[in-house]
Amino acid sequence: MQKKMVPLGCLLLAVACNQPEKQPSTEKITYPQTKKVDTTDVYFGAEVKDPYRWLEDDRSEETAQWVKAQNEVTFGYLKKIPYREVIQKKLEKIWNYEKIGAPFKEGDYTYYYKNDGLQNQSVLYRKDKDGKEEVFLNPNEFSKDGTTSLGGLSFSKDGSLLAYLISEGGSDWRKLIVIKTQTKEVVGDTLVDIKFSGASWNGNDGFYYSSYDKPKGSELSAKTDTHKLYYHKLGTAQKDDKLIFGGTPEQKYRYVSGEISDDGKFLFISGANSTSGNKLFVKDLSKPNSDFVSITETFDNDTQVIDSKGGKLFLITNLNAPNKRLVSVDASNPKPANWKDIIAETENVLSVSLAGDYFFAKYIVDAVSKVKQYDYEGKLIREVALPGVGSAGGFSAKKEDTDAYFSFTNYNTPSKIYKIDLKSGNYDLYWEPKIDFNSDNYESKQVFYTSKDGTKVPMIITYKKGTPLNGKNPTILYGYGGFNISLTPSFSVSNAVWLDNGGVYAVANLRGGGEYGKKWHDAGTKMQKQNVFDDFIAAAEYLIAQKYTSSEHLAIHGGSNGGLLVGATMTQRPDLMKVALPAVGVLDMLRYHTFTAGAGWAYDYGKADDSKEMFEYLKAYSPVHNVKEGIQYPATMVTTGDHDDRVVPAHSYKFAAELQSKQSGNNPVLIRIETNAGHGAGTPVSKIIEQAADMQAFILWNVGVTELK
C-alpha cells in the first residue's frame, strides 16, 4: 500500500458570502436506497452478516447505478455550500506556479520534470549538451481527460533506450512501451498486464519485469497471488518472454522483483508474501546456468541490495538491527554470518542512497531529516548541514557524477532543490518556486503527547504565528500509522491556503509507522493495532486540551491505511470530532485479504481466518462491522475511486451504506466517488483540486462556517 494521499488543507477566505436560509448540515438528507441481501459468513462458529456484499461486484450495472445515485446526492449537497466554487478558484490560483523536479543524467541528455502550473500531469523535458531544451514525454497527451499517467521510467545504462510505464484510470495494472531516446521511435510491441514492477535493463538486449497472471473475473478486484519475474528480449513477442522466477511451488511469492547490478554481473531477486519481510537471492550472470543463491532465507527481516563493487555486495537491512544498518559481504558467500557493518545501526532509522563514490545516510530523527556522507569503507566524510528543520530527499547520482541534487521542504516551506558538490560538500540553491506564500508568517511546533498506555508520541502542529489558543480554530488532524511508513514534514498548496487563513494543521506520528524503526512499526500491527487508534485519539484529545481546537471544530483525515484509521476512530469515539474524512480506506477488515493483493497486508493486520482470537480482534475494530444504530456519527464524507484496484472501492461503498442506514441526527453521511480514478497515484491536477475544494468546503460548512470573512 501506498500511504501518500494529497494532503488535505482547509480554507478560510477573505470574501463575504450571502448566508443561505438553512445550512445543508441541518437538513435531513434523503439517501439512495441501498438494498440489503441476506448474506452470512461463519468464522469459528460465529455468524457475521454482510448485507451489502453485492456492492463488491464492481462490474454490475446495479453497482454502477448505486454509484451514480450516491454521487448525485453528494454533489447536490456540495453545490449548496455557497463558497465551494470560490475555494476551488482560490486553490487554482495558488496552485498555478511552475514546478520543477531535480535533473538527472541519462546518456547524452539531462532530463527533468516540469509542470507549468495547472497541467494535469508533469511533463518530462530534456536538454542536450548544448543546453537545447525539448519536450521528451508529455503524459498530458496520453489521454484526452488526463487520467492516463506516466507510471515509471527505466533507461538502459547508455541512455539510448527507455522503457516507460503508463497507468490508465489510476490502475495498478500498467502497460510498458520501449523507445529509442535519440529519435523517440517505438521499439517492438507494447507490453501489457504488468503490475508492481519497473524494468531492469540487461545492457541493450532486454530487461527484467514482474507481473501476475491476469485474474479470472474483475481485474480491478479479483485476487492476485503469485508474482513472477520475466525477461523480455527486445524485438520478440511478450508471449515468448522467458519466465525467470516464480514458476515453481518453492518460488511462490506474492511480491517478486528483479534488479540487475550496475556492472551487469549479478541479478538480485527479492521474494515476499507481505509488505514487510523478504527473502533475497543472487544469481551470477557471468556464469552460464548458475543457480540462485540465498542471501537471506527467512521473512523476519527487510533486506535490499544498495550496490555491488568488485564482487562485494552492499546491503541495507534490519536483520538484528531494527533501525537498519548498511553491511558488505562477498557475493560468493553472502550469508548473514559473513556480513560486515559499513554503517552501523544507531538510535535513528536509516535509509541509504548512492551518489558518485559515496553513500548518503539519511536518518529520521523524531520525524525530521538528518544526513551524513560516508565512503565505501564506512568512513564518515561529513554531516550535511541542511537548510532547516524538515525533510530532505534525493542525494542520488551515478558513480561518475561529481555532484548531486537534493530537495528540502517542511509544512510551511515549499520544496526547494539544491545542488551539492560531492567532494567538498558545499551546496547552492538550484531552484525555488515562485509561489505567493510567505513562510516567515508561519511556524511548526513539535510536541510529544502521551497515549493511552503511556507511550510518548510526536506530533507536528503548524499554524500562523499569533494564532490564539481559544479552542475555536478549525483544525485538521492527519494520520496514517501503518506499513512502516513515516510521515515527515512536506509542503502542500492546500495546507498553505488553510494556514494563511488561520487554520491549524496537525500530523501525528503514530505507532505502526516507521518513524522509530521496526519496533515502532510492530507496536501497531496485528493484535496491537488498537495502539494506532489510541495514539490518534490521544492526539485529538491533546489538541483539544491545549485549546488549539475543540470537538466542534476538529476534522480527522487519512487515506488508505489512514482511511482505516479514520473509520476506526470515528466509530470508537464519534463524540471526539465534528468531521471525518476516510479516503480510499481499508474498512472491511474481515474480507480485505480476498481482494487484489490485499493478502499482502497481513503482516500489519492479520487475517480473520488466522485464528479465533485474530478474527475477534479484527471484528472488534473493523469500521464496517462497528457502525451502530442510534449513534450520531460525525459529518462524514467517504472518498474513493471507482477504479481503485489497490483498496477496492467496495470497502468505502459498504461503510457508507452502513453509516447512512444507521446514522442518528442530521450530520450528513456522503460518499464522493471519483470515476475513472484509482488509489491516488497519477491523479490529474484538475481532479486533485476539485477533490480538495470539495473536502475543504465540506469541513468548513460542518464546523459552522456559514459566512467567510
Side-chain angles (χ1 to χ4, degrees):
M1 295 176 74
Q2 300 285 334
K3 79 155 191 185
K4 285 274 186 188
M5 302 303 296
V6 176
L8 176 67
C10 286
L11 185 63
L12 300 174
L13 298 169
V15 296
C17 299
N18 293 325
Q19 187 171 349
E21 291 182 7
K22 187 181 287 187
Q23 266 188 272
S25 58
T26 64
E27 297 177 0
K28 190 72 175 176
I29 299 174
T30 302
Y31 299 110
Q33 278 293 114
T34 306
K35 73 173 183 179
K36 296 183 179 182
V37 177
D38 188 14
T39 307
T40 303
D41 293 317
V42 178
Y43 298 86
F44 303 97
E47 291 189 351
V48 179
K49 294 187 180 301
D50 192 2
Y52 304 117
R53 175 77 59 85
W54 63 274
L55 286 168
E56 292 179 5
D57 186 355
D58 52 72
R59 298 183 300 171
S60 78
E61 180 59 30
E62 197 171 18
T63 300
Q65 289 302 316
W66 184 88
V67 167
K68 182 180 178 182
Q70 290 287 348
N71 271 341
E72 285 176 357
V73 170
T74 297
F75 289 106
Y77 177 97
L78 293 170
K79 284 176 183 175
K80 293 181 180 180
I81 302 175
Y83 42 76
R84 173 194 182 212
E85 188 175 337
V86 183
I87 291 173
Q88 182 169 328
K89 287 180 178 178
K90 179 72 171 180
L91 281 165
E92 289 173 351
K93 181 176 181 293
I94 301 296
W95 212 291
N96 193 11
Y97 68 94
E98 186 180 68
K99 305 162 192 73
I100 294 177
F104 54 96
K105 298 174 185 175
E106 299 290 349
D108 295 329
Y109 296 92
T110 298
Y111 295 83
Y112 51 95
Y113 288 98
K114 183 166 69 173
N115 191 306
D116 291 343
L118 294 174
Q119 288 176 291
N120 275 325
Q121 306 288 344
S122 293
V123 178
L124 183 62
Y125 287 78
R126 71 178 179 185
K127 287 182 180 179
D128 62 20
K129 291 180 178 178
D130 297 324
K132 182 182 177 183
E133 181 185 69
E134 66 171 332
V135 171
F136 182 64
L137 277 179
N138 185 356
N140 298 293
E141 297 176 353
F142 290 173
S143 63
K144 289 183 179 179
D145 62 358
T147 59
T148 300
S149 60
L150 189 58
L153 301 173
S154 180
F155 288 87
S156 61
K157 187 174 181 182
D158 67 3
S160 65
L161 294 166
L162 168 66
Y164 69 92
L165 293 150
I166 61 171
S167 168
E168 296 170 321
S171 174
D172 281 333
W173 291 99
R174 305 289 164 88
K175 294 178 179 177
L176 185 149
I177 300 163
V178 178
I179 61 174
K180 295 179 180 178
T181 55
Q182 187 70 32
T183 62
K184 304 180 192 175
E185 175 190 349
V186 174
V187 180
D189 297 331
T190 297
L191 275 63
V192 298
D193 298 339
I194 295 174
K195 191 171 185 178
F196 300 150
S197 178
S200 184
W201 283 91
N202 179 29
N204 292 340
D205 177 77
F207 51 84
Y208 297 91
Y209 70 93
S210 303
S211 196
Y212 301 90
D213 295 334
K214 205 65 174 285
K216 296 176 182 178
S218 170
E219 69 176 61
L220 294 177
S221 58
K223 190 172 183 177
T224 48
D225 197 46
T226 303
H227 218 193
K228 298 176 182 178
L229 182 71
Y230 295 91
Y231 184 75
H232 177 73
K233 184 177 175 62
L234 287 191
T236 64
Q238 186 177 9
K239 66 180 178 61
D240 298 323
D241 289 352
K242 184 179 179 182
L243 177 61
I244 302 299
F245 191 92
T248 67
E250 296 76 26
Q251 295 178 354
K252 186 179 186 300
Y253 297 94
R254 191 166 287 114
Y255 306 110
V256 168
S257 63
E259 186 171 359
I260 201 164
S261 60
D262 195 46
D263 59 11
K265 185 177 179 181
F266 300 110
L267 173 64
F268 304 107
I269 294 179
S270 173
N273 287 326
S274 191
T275 49
S276 290
N278 71 305
K279 295 181 182 179
L280 192 61
F281 307 89
V282 59
K283 180 181 177 68
D284 190 339
L285 298 178
S286 67
K287 298 176 181 178
N289 303 316
S290 62
D291 293 327
F292 289 104
V293 175
S294 294
I295 299 176
T296 59
E297 298 180 325
T298 61
F299 292 118
D300 63 352
N301 67 95
D302 297 279
T303 302
Q304 288 83 38
V305 180
I306 295 294
D307 196 16
S308 66
K309 187 176 183 181
K312 186 181 289 187
L313 308 182
F314 294 87
L315 317 170
I316 187 168
T317 183
N318 61 8
L319 183 64
N320 301 320
N323 291 333
K324 296 195 175 181
R325 57 183 171 137
L326 183 72
V327 301
S328 67
V329 69
D330 194 297
S332 63
N333 196 2
K335 301 293 186 191
N338 301 314
W339 293 357
K340 175 188 173 185
D341 280 6
I342 298 297
I343 302 175
E345 182 192 23
T346 71
E347 61 183 4
N348 301 310
V349 181
L350 170 70
S351 63
V352 175
S353 62
L354 290 172
D357 212 25
Y358 300 99
F359 294 116
F360 279 86
K362 294 172 280 191
Y363 294 98
I364 299 176
V365 183
D366 293 332
V368 300
S369 292
K370 184 177 183 178
V371 180
K372 294 182 177 182
Q373 183 178 353
Y374 290 87
D375 67 14
Y376 271 69
E377 300 302 316
K379 178 186 175 185
L380 176 64
I381 304 300
R382 64 178 60 86
E383 180 174 341
V384 180
L386 297 175
V389 177
S391 303
F395 298 100
S396 297
K398 290 183 164 44
K399 278 191 169 66
E400 61 269 21
D401 289 344
T402 57
D403 48 48
Y405 297 86
F406 71 92
S407 61
F408 179 81
T409 183
N410 56 36
Y411 290 117
N412 59 310
T413 303
S415 185
K416 300 177 183 180
I417 299 173
Y418 296 84
K419 184 177 182 179
I420 183 170
D421 181 275
L422 297 175
K423 188 172 183 179
S424 69
N426 296 327
Y427 62 82
D428 298 302
L429 181 64
Y430 173 79
W431 176 83
E432 65 177 326
K434 295 179 174 62
I435 181 174
D436 185 17
F437 181 80
N438 186 353
S439 300
D440 294 337
N441 293 337
Y442 309 90
E443 62 182 313
S444 288
K445 178 182 180 182
Q446 186 173 59
V447 300
F448 290 83
Y449 63 89
T450 304
S451 191
K452 183 177 181 179
D453 64 357
T455 299
K456 294 292 184 183
V457 181
M459 175 166 58
I460 296 179
I461 310 168
T462 307
Y463 45 87
K464 181 177 272 188
K465 291 177 180 176
T467 296
L469 300 185
N470 57 11
K472 297 180 180 179
N473 301 304
T475 297
I476 297 170
L477 173 60
Y478 183 86
Y480 187 77
F483 295 91
N484 202 38
I485 298 295
S486 300
L487 295 186
T488 58
S490 63
F491 181 83
S492 84
V493 172
S494 296
N495 291 343
V497 177
W498 165 259
L499 297 172
D500 187 45
N501 291 279
V504 174
Y505 186 73
V507 178
N509 297 106
L510 314 171
R511 280 175 285 184
E515 289 86 351
Y516 295 101
K518 187 172 175 59
K519 291 179 181 177
W520 191 254
H521 174 208
D522 287 348
T525 60
K526 294 188 177 73
M527 296 183 78
Q528 297 187 90
K529 188 65 180 177
Q530 183 61 39
N531 286 337
V532 185
F533 314 139
D534 290 341
D535 289 355
F536 203 51
I537 289 167
E541 290 173 337
Y542 177 92
L543 292 169
I544 293 167
Q546 298 299 315
K547 298 192 180 301
Y548 285 97
T549 192
S550 65
S551 292
E552 288 300 305
H553 296 89
L554 177 64
I556 60 172
H557 177 52
S560 197
N561 175 73
L564 164 61
L565 171 70
V566 171
T569 302
M570 65 179 283
T571 50
Q572 292 182 16
R573 286 292 307 276
D575 59 307
L576 193 57
M577 74 294 299
K578 181 62 178 177
V579 179
L581 296 166
V584 292
V586 187
L587 298 161
D588 183 342
M589 299 309 297
L590 301 186
R591 287 180 56 75
Y592 78 87
H593 61 289
T594 65
F595 306 113
T596 62
W601 312 334
Y603 182 93
D604 267 57
Y605 298 147
K607 303 194 303 294
D609 53 11
D610 285 346
S611 67
K612 184 173 185 288
E613 292 76 19
M614 194 73 251
F615 154 68
E616 291 173 345
Y617 192 88
L618 287 166
K619 186 173 181 290
Y621 75 77
S622 176
V624 164
H625 300 94
N626 283 280
V627 180
K628 297 177 173 61
E629 296 275 5
I631 301 291
Q632 177 163 287
Y633 291 100
T636 303
M637 186 163 70
V638 181
T639 54
T640 189
D642 69 344
H643 279 62
D644 190 342
D645 50 6
R646 186 83 57 86
V647 180
V648 296
H651 285 277
S652 295
Y653 297 171
K654 291 162 76 171
F655 188 53
E658 289 283 355
L659 284 168
Q660 288 178 352
S661 170
K662 297 174 180 176
Q663 173 73 307
S664 174
N666 290 332
N667 284 341
V669 174
L670 307 176
I671 180 166
R672 186 189 188 281
I673 305 157
E674 193 70 65
T675 55
N676 201 27
H679 197 59
T683 302
V685 165
S686 58
K687 285 181 179 279
I688 292 171
I689 291 174
E690 289 170 7
Q691 291 167 7
D694 287 348
M695 288 189 286
Q696 293 168 10
F698 183 81
I699 292 174
L700 289 174
W701 198 244
N702 283 285
V703 299
V705 179
T706 58
E707 184 173 314
L708 304 176
K709 298 176 181 178

